[in-house]
Amino acid sequence: MDIGWKLASGIATGAAGFAANKAVGAGWKGFTGRETPLDDADDNFSTREILIFAIASAVVVAVAQVLATQAAKKWYGPVRDA
């Protein structure tokens, strides 16, 4: 596999995951008025709240990473097999 593609896709998915995680955290704080379950271990979160946060976070991060990989493919061009 092309090392350039590995770098491009890794950077794209990493940046997308980071940005999506920050967006979910900001949305959670805006909606609930509290820090996320990951950021505030001292707060008492119900199992329902933890599940909602985990599902929302996973979906948003996964979608962002797929879109970032597709954008990186368009930018990078055809991937050459080594």
Side-chain angles (χ1 to χ4, degrees):
M1 170 126 327
D2 188 350
I3 190 72
W5 167 243
K6 285 185 179 183
L7 282 171
S9 66
I11 291 169
T13 57
F18 178 79
N21 192 33
K22 290 293 184 182
V24 170
W28 180 269
K29 189 170 185 178
F31 186 70
T32 65
R34 299 189 300 169
E35 294 295 324
T36 68
L38 296 175
D39 294 335
D40 192 2
D42 295 336
D43 204 355
N44 293 325
F45 291 97
S46 69
T47 303
R48 181 176 177 215
E49 289 175 309
I50 293 169
L51 285 173
I52 290 169
F53 175 77
I55 291 167
S57 182
V59 168
V60 171
V61 169
V63 169
Q65 289 179 334
V66 168
L67 293 174
T69 301
Q70 290 176 350
K73 282 181 186 177
K74 287 180 184 177
W75 173 81
Y76 190 77
V79 178
R80 292 174 272 139
D81 291 332

